[in-house]
Amino acid sequence: MSTPGHGTPERRSFGHGDGRILLGHGSGGRLTASLFHDVFLPAFRNPALEAAGDQAVLSLAGTRLAVTTDSFVVSPLFFPGGDIGRLAVCGTVNDLAVGGATPACLTAGFIIEEGFPAEDLRKVVASMAEAAREAVVEIVAGDTKVVERGKGDGLFITTTGVGLVPDGLRLGPGEIRPGDQILVSGHVGDHGVAVMVHRAGLEPGGTLRSDSAPLTGLAQALLQAGPGAVRCMRDPTRGGLATTLAELAAASGTCFQVDEAEIPVRDEVRALCEMLGLDPLYAANEGKLVAVVDPRAATAVLEAARSHPLGREARWIGQAVEGAPSEVRLRTVVGGTRPLDLLEGEQLPRIC
Amino acid sequence: MSTPGHGTPERRSFGHGDGRILLGHGSGGRLTASLFHDVFLPAFRNPALEAAGDQAVLSLAGTRLAVTTDSFVVSPLFFPGGDIGRLAVCGTVNDLAVGGATPACLTAGFIIEEGFPAEDLRKVVASMAEAAREAVVEIVAGDTKVVERGKGDGLFITTTGVGLVPDGLRLGPGEIRPGDQILVSGHVGDHGVAVMVHRAGLEPGGTLRSDSAPLTGLAQALLQAGPGAVRCMRDPTRGGLATTLAELAAASGTCFQVDEAEIPVRDEVRALCEMLGLDPLYAANEGKLVAVVDPRAATAVLEAARSHPLGREARWIGQAVEGAPSEVRLRTVVGGTRPLDLLEGEQLPRIC
C-alpha cells in the first residue's frame, strides 16, 4: 500500500473535479491523500489503517504480520528495465521490506482486456516469477478476470503481500527525533523518467532503465546495523522522493532539512526531466529506499547500505531538525531554501 | 481465489482465440482452468498454488494462515441486492470461510476510471464497510489507482483476505469418500440471474436479488457439527453449482451422483433463465456453499445448516459414489442422466 500522506485538513478538500475522480487522485500526492482521508479512512476506520504506513501490521496468533496491497496500471506494460509484472512483485515486496518485514507470500489478481495477446501475458507472468525468485517469495494464490475490449487497458495486476515482522522491531515516523540523519539508497527518478520517456516514444539512447528491484535484502542489511539504528524506512514510489519526505516530516512532526546538492540524480535523468518539464524529486522510484537513522548509528548504517548491491550509491541527504514541524526545507543548489510538499495533481499518471 | 478446475489435460488447450485472451478466460469455467494450468501454474509452481483450493494455506510461525485474492469487475456496479463493494468483501471472505478459516483482515485495491462519480465511490465504500462489519473483519490496507477515461470501466476492486485455520482441521477434496453426502445451503443462481436481468434492463417486478452474503458463520456452524463431519466446502461462484461440482468430483477422483429435482432453484430464477437462455446450475452464487459430508454426520450437519439464517433452505442434492471417477452425473427431472461439466465459454461474463 502506498497509503497517502497527511496534508493539513484545510488542504484536503476532495471537492476538486466537480465530484468526479481525476487522474491526480491516483498519482500518490495530495489528491490521493484527500481520497484516503475523506473517503476510505472514515468508512473503514481501524488502527492498522489509521497508522497509514506502507503496510498494515497486525498481531495474529502471537505473530506480527505485515499486510500490504497495490494495484498496478503502468502504461506501457513493457518499458526499459522491467514490465508490469516485475513492478507488481517488487512494489509489494518493497512495501513489506521498508516495514522491516520479510515476505511470506504474495497473491496476484489479473484484470485482462479481451484480445490481450496470450504471449504478452506469458512474458509478464515469467517476469513476475523471476522477480519473486529474486525476492525469495512465492505467489500462492491468484485470480483472473477478463473485461470486454475497450473496458480495460491490456492488463492490470493487483498484488498483495503478507510478511513477518520481528518481535520488538519498532519502525515508523513516530520514532523520528531531531538530529536523525536521512539516507537515500541511490539515484532518484530513474523509474518514473524511464517510463515517461518510453511512453513519449523517445529513445534517449542512453542507459536509463527502471530501477525496479526487491529491497528486502537492503532493508534487512540496514536493520542489522544495530537495534534502534533505523527509525523509519519508506520506498519513494508514486510522488517520488519529495512526496515521501513530505509525508514523513508530517507524520513525525519534525522538520526535515534536505540538501538538494546531496540528492543523487543521474545527469541523464536531469536532462530528460528538463526536456519533459518534470522534477526528478517527484518522479517515482521502484528500487530505492529512504531511511531515517539514529545519528549514533550513521556510520554503521551507511556502511551496511554501501555493502549491498542496491545501496552502493547511498548518500546522506539531510536531517530532522527542531522548528517548523512537519515541513521539508530544501536547500537548493543555488543557495536558497524552498519548501518541498506532496505532489500536486498528476505530473506522472500511470507510472506504476 | 476461485482457483479454476481440473480439466483433463487434452481438454486444456489454451489455443482458443488465436493466441488472444477471450472473455471466457475469465468466466471461471474450462478456459479459466486452461489459463491456470497452462500459464500461471507452470510459472509460479508451489505447493500452495498447486493445491488449487479457494484459498492457499500456509504454515507460518506456528500458525495456519489462509490467503485468498479475487478481482471484481461486475457490470453494472450496482444491482438488486448488492454492488461491487459488497461483492468484493463477501467474495473474499467466503473463499476463506469455505476453507474453514475465520477472516483476520482484508485489503482492497481500487482501479478507478477518470471521471467516475465520487458519490458512487462513497456508496461502494460504505457498502464494503457494512459487509465487513457483517463478516466481522476489517479492511486494514488499500491502494487507489486511476486510469484515463476509456481505459477502464468505472471501478474494479481487488480484495485479498488473510484468515486463520484451526490446527488439525482437515478439509479438501482429498478427504471425500464414496458414500459422502452433498449439501447445498440454499437456492442457486440468484446472484448471476439478478445481475444478468438488471444488465439486460429487465425489471422482473419480483423479489429476485443477489444472494451476496458473508458465509463465515454458516461454514463455522457446519464445522461445529462434529470433527471430521465436513470433508470439503466450496462456494459456487463463477461457473455456478455445476462447475463447482465438476471441479470437486475431478479433484476427489470420485463420481458425484446429483438429483436435479433436489437442487433448489427459485421459480422466478427458472423462468428468467428460460427467457434468457441460461442454465441456473451454471449461474453464479455469492452467498451459498456446497458441503460434502460424512454420511454418519449428515443429520447433525443438516440441522446445523438449517439453524443458521443463511442455511434455512439447505438440502441434500446427491452423493459421492464409486465408479466413473471424476464425473458428475445429473439425474434429470425427466428421468434421464446427463453429465455436468465445467462451464464452457462465456455464458455470464463479468458477473463478479
Side-chain angles (χ1 to χ4, degrees), chain B residues 18-318:
Chain B
D18 200 21
R20 296 191 172 265
I21 301 296
L22 306 174
L23 278 177
H25 283 112
S27 289
R30 187 175 310 288
L31 287 176
T32 308
S34 76
L35 208 54
F36 178 69
H37 288 287
D38 295 349
V39 178
F40 295 113
L41 189 57
F44 298 153
R45 192 175 296 280
N46 59 71
L49 192 63
E50 264 171 294
D54 282 318
Q55 72 299 114
V57 179
L58 309 168
S59 284
L60 197 65
T63 302
R64 285 180 80 196
L65 217 60
V67 184
T68 183
T69 197
D70 258 320
S71 293
F72 294 85
V73 299
V74 65
S75 171
L77 297 174
F78 300 91
F79 46 80
D83 60 34
I84 189 171
R86 182 170 180 82
L87 213 54
V89 168
C90 294
T92 288
V93 162
N94 292 349
D95 281 339
L96 294 177
V98 295
T102 50
C105 69
L106 296 185
T107 67
F110 297 82
I111 298 173
I112 312 177
E113 187 186 7
E114 180 189 15
F116 188 69
E119 205 39 49
D120 284 354
L121 183 62
R122 285 185 203 278
K123 272 189 221 164
V124 167
V125 165
S127 169
M128 292 179 81
E130 189 189 326
R133 277 191 296 273
E134 285 175 42
V136 197
V137 66
E138 286 180 335
I139 296 164
V140 299
D143 182 53
T144 307
K145 294 285 163 33
V146 182
V147 296
E148 303 90 334
R149 246 176 243 268
K151 302 293 187 182
D153 195 16
L155 177 63
F156 304 141
I157 303 177
T158 301
T159 46
T160 305
V162 178
L164 287 173
V165 183
D167 271 344
L169 180 65
R170 291 179 62 143
L171 276 182
E175 305 295 316
I176 296 174
R177 302 280 173 269
D180 285 353
Q181 301 293 304
I182 303 166
L183 176 136
V184 64
S185 63
H187 296 90
V188 300
D190 292 11
H191 172 76
V193 175
V195 173
M196 286 303 282
V197 163
H198 191 64
R199 193 188 297 171
L202 299 172
E203 289 298 335
T207 56
L208 181 61
R209 298 163 66 82
S210 164
D211 57 351
S212 179
L215 290 169
T216 313
L218 177 61
Q220 289 295 318
L222 264 58
L223 292 174
Q224 281 153 20
V230 178
R231 312 285 205 190
C232 182
M233 293 187 285
R234 287 284 162 96
D235 58 329
T237 56
R238 280 186 298 179
L241 177 66
T243 299
T244 294
L245 292 174
E247 288 176 358
L248 281 181
S252 70
T254 65
C255 174
F256 280 15
Q257 189 107 43
V258 176
D259 288 311
E260 189 173 17
E262 299 302 323
I263 299 174
V265 181
R266 289 181 206 282
D267 292 343
E268 196 176 353
V269 167
R270 209 180 291 279
L272 286 163
C273 278
E274 274 181 27
M275 197 167 78
L276 295 166
L278 303 175
D279 182 340
L281 301 192
Y282 285 93
N285 309 277
E286 295 289 343
K288 298 295 181 317
L289 61 75
V290 173
V292 184
V293 175
D294 182 337
R296 294 164 295 185
T299 309
V301 169
L302 186 66
E303 197 175 308
R306 289 192 171 165
S307 304
H308 191 278
L310 294 177
R312 279 200 207 104
E313 315 286 340
R315 297 276 290 269
W316 300 113
I317 60 166

Side-chain angles (χ1 to χ4, degrees), chain A residues 55 92-101 171 215-217 219-220 223 233:
Chain A
Q55 72 298 113
T92 288
V93 163
N94 291 349
D95 282 340
L96 294 176
V98 295
L171 276 183
L215 290 169
T216 312
Q220 289 294 318
L223 292 173
M233 292 186 285

